Amino acid sequence: MLKNWFARLFKKSGTQTAEAPVWHPLVGESVKTPFSEIPEVYESVLFIASNATQAEAGFFRFKDNAEVYCDDAAVRPLADLLARPNPQMDWNTFLENIYGFLAYHREVFILKVPSRGQKALTRNLPAQLWPVNPAKCTALSYDSRGVRCWALQGRAYPAEEVIHIRYFNPSDMFRSVSPLRPLADLLQANKAAMKSNRVFYENNSQTPFVLATDKNLTKEEMKNIQQAWNEAHKGPANRGRTGFLSGGLKPYSLNTNSGTADFVENSKNTSERILAGLQMQKSLLNMTDTTNYATYMGQLRTFWQNVIRPMVRKVESALNAQVVRPYTREFELRFKYDNVEAFAADFGEKVNTAQKLAQMGWPLNAINDRLNLGFEPVPWGDEWWINFGLVPATQAGSFGAAEEEREKACACARTKSAADARKEWVWKKFDRRQIQLERLLAQKAGRFFMEQGSRLKRAAKNGTLDNFDWEKEDRSLEKMLLPVISDAVWLGINAGQEQLQKSIKDDAQAAAQRRYLGRVAGRISGINATTRRETEKVLTEGLTAGKSNEDIARELADTVLAGFKTRARLIARTESTGALNGGTAEYGAELGADKTWLTARDGQVRESHAAMDGETVGANGVFSNGLAYPGDPAAGAAAEEVCNCRCTILLGHK
């Protein structure tokens, strides 16, 4: 009745009934099951099936190319289906069947068992997936678009419930052709050679000979002689036993003729030709003793790239098209090659190349894309770097211009007074230290903001943004920045020693460092306070407007987190300037030295600071703008006087 129903269905849709060809044995009557009869076939197919499963599957989001793990609610149904495609198979067993059929038949069928959700039109995801042997599959009917109905193991299924993965076959648009069919003669020759070798072994591993006599022997006599000789000498257990001849019998060896010699010689090449037909190499199956480890790994990598990887891509594409995308278009299935042994050495070489490119100043994301390293892109990874100092290329122009102006300012140092020359020397020393510290702090702050942004977006999507742990964020930021700031204070103290050529006790230096770190702690926590205010504003407005968690996370990324690079550089310059000058000022205060405000004396100096150039105050005094030194983190200091400052101080002898 089911068959009649399908016939009526296809008749109405204008389809034609296919001839439903009978699947013939691969190599005729002589070798019906090459997989179990020919060792080269068995080992090759098993090698491909077991190796291809090393590529692990993962789900990736189209929007940002990020991997989504199985515990995510959006992909959990898909992950559960693939973890157990059917009651008899786990994911690895399922894939091993798929790859094995593809290697043996160059095609495979996967039956999709409809789920209740599919029948009720509530969820387009099958309940089970079953791999089917292509030898038991035929096309029942087709139309201009292809096969409309398949017969799998004698039962009819519409094409919508069948996944058909196949290789190109120019003579058949519906079916593939097994690589063993062109090798039919070779497989039969191989089997004949194995049979000949077995007989040779059972014949005491000796070439045939005859027992001859001039007498006429009856059939009974010949039978008795043959039986006696076999009992005494046939088989490997009797090898080497001395033979006694009587009655005029003499042994005559049968020389191997040219035809037999050709057969023996050809049988040596049969295995290699069978392996070549299956795209295998002898060394991969340990059929040679001359291959070392390096050669083996190189051939294995080539085999993966040319044979296994295209096969994995076919399976990946078919599962995405007929299982994943009907369920969701937000994600796709991808096979990862991180754990594949064949690519381990290749990955190491890529990392070495990546390191050299990074030293040349290449952006991290460009290196990742060019070498296909598989890392997720990072927001700061598109920045080019100037080689030696690793200065961002976008800043190179400004640094170069600033340096040019500084050089111009110092070009006439010989004609200047000793006091002016000393000022130039102090500022240039400060400038070199400040640039290095600014770069390091910018990297630290940028990394923190990127990680904090990921935490904030995750909390927004989960609806837990109102319970975000900001105290923990303060501790994380302090842990990231304070060690660098502490080192900067020590450099500032050393700068003061260079200026005054006097030393103070170590405990006094440590106390000076602690005093500065105590003052700067409040300013560091204020960095997160700004982020918190902006985040809470986005959250409040979003909830008031009835926006979803996804919309709030998107707006958070667009408004609060978008300018983290610029903000990181601003913080880095401000804190590096303050720490260096703070250490120098603390050192001068210990010795009671006066301090003089020095600017960079270029076009980037703000007007208020340019007017203060050369202003001198006492050791514990403050300048006319209310700061004890450039970058002073004192409470109540005007931001326009502190942020982005590149000024320093000159200590005077008392």
Side-chain angles (χ1 to χ4, degrees):
M1 182 175 292
L2 181 62
K3 185 175 182 180
N4 294 334
W5 180 82
F6 275 114
R8 292 195 302 271
L9 173 64
F10 296 132
K11 185 176 182 180
K12 290 180 181 179
S13 60
T15 60
Q16 300 177 5
T17 302
E19 297 180 358
V22 178
W23 189 274
H24 296 285
L26 289 177
V27 291
E29 297 297 328
S30 178
V31 186
K32 294 183 179 180
T33 54
F35 184 72
S36 59
E37 294 185 49
I38 308 299
E40 292 85 354
V41 176
Y42 170 81
E43 293 179 8
S44 298
V45 173
L46 195 63
F47 181 88
I48 294 174
S50 58
N51 269 264
T53 56
Q54 293 181 25
E56 297 183 354
F59 295 99
F60 291 81
R61 190 165 36 232
F62 279 110
K63 182 173 62 176
D64 53 7
N65 203 35
E67 184 173 4
V68 182
Y69 298 100
C70 297
D71 57 352
D72 190 287
V75 300
R76 188 176 298 118
L78 274 171
D80 292 342
L81 173 64
L82 297 185
R84 197 73 180 178
N86 59 70
Q88 301 298 324
M89 299 177 182
D90 58 16
W91 177 237
N92 280 339
T93 306
F94 174 80
L95 287 180
E96 197 170 62
N97 278 264
I98 299 298
Y99 297 135
F101 286 135
L102 283 174
Y104 191 73
H105 293 285
R106 288 296 187 264
E107 65 178 339
V108 66
F109 291 84
I110 303 175
L111 176 62
K112 299 187 294 183
V113 178
S115 63
R116 295 180 180 177
Q118 283 182 307
K119 295 178 180 178
L121 301 179
T122 59
R123 187 177 71 175
N124 196 6
L125 193 64
Q128 299 175 13
L129 299 172
W130 287 90
V132 183
N133 188 344
K136 300 179 181 180
C137 303
T138 55
L140 286 182
S141 61
Y142 62 93
D143 59 15
S144 59
R145 292 177 295 179
V147 177
R148 294 295 305 276
C149 180
W150 291 100
L152 308 185
Q153 296 181 330
R155 293 187 59 183
Y157 296 94
E160 292 77 14
E161 296 181 7
V162 178
I163 302 174
H164 184 204
I165 307 173
R166 71 182 187 92
Y167 282 79
F168 171 69
N169 180 9
S171 61
D172 191 339
M173 295 301 295
F174 301 139
R175 302 300 298 270
S176 186
V177 59
S178 171
L180 302 183
R181 288 194 173 187
L183 301 176
D185 293 338
L186 288 175
L187 294 174
Q188 293 177 4
N190 185 277
K191 185 176 181 181
M194 290 190 296
K195 185 176 181 180
S196 177
N197 290 335
R198 179 179 179 182
V199 172
F200 181 72
Y201 174 76
E202 292 177 349
N203 197 35
N204 204 10
S205 303
Q206 295 177 358
T207 56
F209 63 92
V210 298
L211 298 176
T213 179
D214 295 336
K215 299 179 180 180
N216 292 326
L217 301 176
T218 65
K219 290 184 178 181
E220 187 67 23
E221 288 175 330
M222 287 189 290
K223 181 179 179 181
N224 292 335
I225 292 173
Q226 184 179 10
Q227 181 178 354
W229 189 264
N230 287 341
E231 291 177 355
H233 300 287
K234 186 176 181 180
N238 295 322
R239 183 174 184 178
R241 294 183 61 178
T242 304
F244 295 94
L245 302 178
S246 61
L249 294 174
K250 295 180 181 179
Y252 292 92
S253 297
L254 297 178
N255 295 326
T256 304
N257 56 36
S258 58
T260 305
D262 291 341
F263 171 76
V264 173
E265 183 64 27
N266 290 336
S267 65
K268 296 179 181 178
N269 300 325
T270 301
S271 294
E272 296 183 10
R273 296 173 66 185
I274 293 174
L275 292 175
L278 293 169
Q279 298 179 282
M280 287 294 302
Q281 298 182 16
K282 293 192 301 182
S283 59
L284 298 180
L285 300 179
N286 296 321
M287 296 176 62
T288 176
D289 298 330
T290 59
T291 303
N292 56 30
Y293 178 77
T295 304
Y296 172 82
M297 291 304 299
Q299 293 181 354
L300 182 61
R301 183 163 58 250
T302 302
F303 183 74
W304 257 91
Q305 292 172 341
N306 297 336
V307 179
I308 298 183
R309 205 166 191 174
M311 180 183 297
V312 174
R313 292 290 189 190
K314 278 185 173 292
V315 176
E316 176 184 274
S317 178
L319 292 177
N320 276 319
Q322 301 191 51
V323 176
V324 179
R325 287 173 192 163
Y327 171 72
T328 176
R329 291 189 173 273
E330 185 179 356
F331 309 102
E332 72 172 357
L333 173 72
R334 295 183 197 168
F335 285 97
K336 302 175 291 183
Y337 303 93
D338 301 342
N339 297 328
V340 176
E341 182 183 6
F343 295 135
D346 185 47
F347 183 77
E349 294 175 2
K350 287 183 178 180
V351 170
N352 292 333
T353 304
Q355 185 177 8
K356 294 178 182 178
L357 290 175
Q359 292 172 352
M360 293 168 59
W362 274 61
L364 182 61
N365 291 343
I367 296 174
N368 185 30
D369 294 338
R370 186 177 183 87
L371 299 179
N372 194 23
L373 296 176
F375 298 127
E376 293 185 8
V378 293
W380 47 269
D382 296 324
E383 187 79 73
W384 285 82
W385 301 85
I386 301 301
N387 186 5
F388 301 101
L390 287 183
V391 179
T394 52
Q395 300 180 12
S398 61
F399 283 154
E403 185 66 26
E404 184 178 353
E405 297 229 2
R406 295 171 202 145
E407 292 297 333
K408 288 180 180 179
C410 300
C412 300
R414 298 178 184 176
T415 61
K416 294 180 180 180
S417 64
D420 289 339
R422 183 168 179 266
K423 291 178 181 179
E424 297 291 350
W425 173 78
V426 168
W427 188 86
K428 291 188 70 174
K429 282 268 190 179
F430 163 81
D431 187 50
R432 293 192 185 98
R433 291 182 173 120
Q434 189 273 331
I435 287 176
Q436 296 294 328
L437 287 169
E438 178 183 331
R439 187 181 306 129
L440 181 57
L441 278 172
Q443 292 175 352
K444 296 280 188 180
R447 178 182 173 186
F448 171 79
F449 286 140
M450 183 179 67
E451 294 174 351
Q452 185 185 61
S454 298
R455 292 190 290 268
L456 286 171
K457 286 187 287 187
R458 192 181 307 115
K461 291 180 180 179
N462 296 335
T464 59
L465 194 59
D466 53 339
N467 295 324
F468 196 72
D469 192 347
W470 289 102
E471 293 183 359
K472 184 177 179 180
E473 294 297 311
D474 289 341
R475 293 192 298 270
S476 298
L477 183 59
E478 291 177 358
K479 185 178 179 180
M480 188 81 73
L481 299 186
L482 282 182
V484 182
I485 294 176
S486 178
D487 292 341
V489 176
W490 278 109
L491 289 175
I493 293 174
N494 292 334
Q497 290 178 335
E498 291 175 355
Q499 292 186 41
L500 298 180
Q501 296 297 312
K502 293 182 180 180
S503 61
I504 60 177
K505 295 181 180 180
D506 292 342
D507 55 350
Q509 294 185 25
Q513 184 185 39
R514 288 193 298 271
R515 284 195 298 271
Y516 180 83
L517 293 178
R519 286 196 294 270
V520 81
R523 189 159 72 183
I524 291 179
S525 61
I527 295 173
N528 277 329
T530 301
T531 306
R532 181 175 184 176
R533 285 194 301 271
E534 295 176 353
T535 300
E536 291 176 346
K537 180 181 178 182
V538 170
L539 177 62
T540 302
E541 293 177 352
L543 293 176
T544 303
K547 296 181 179 179
S548 65
N549 292 341
E550 289 285 344
D551 292 336
I552 293 176
R554 191 178 301 109
E555 186 173 349
L556 184 69
D558 293 340
T559 58
V560 179
L561 308 176
F564 78 92
K565 286 185 180 180
T566 303
R567 190 181 181 199
R569 291 170 184 159
L570 172 65
I571 292 170
R573 174 166 293 185
T574 303
E575 297 304 332
S576 58
T577 297
L580 283 171
N581 290 324
T584 302
E586 291 287 350
Y587 173 83
E590 287 289 331
L591 297 176
D594 293 337
K595 48 192 177 185
T596 301
W597 191 287
L598 296 181
T599 70
R601 303 180 184 183
D602 55 28
Q604 299 181 29
V605 178
R606 69 198 71 185
E607 294 182 2
S608 60
H609 288 188
M612 294 172 54
D613 187 46
E615 182 179 333
T616 302
V617 297
N620 297 314
V622 295
F623 292 96
S624 57
N625 61 356
L627 302 181
Y629 47 84
D632 183 10
E640 60 270 15
E641 291 294 322
V642 178
C643 296
N644 256 340
C645 181
R646 296 178 298 125
C647 301
T648 187
I649 55 174
L650 170 69
L651 299 181
H653 295 279
K654 293 293 292 183

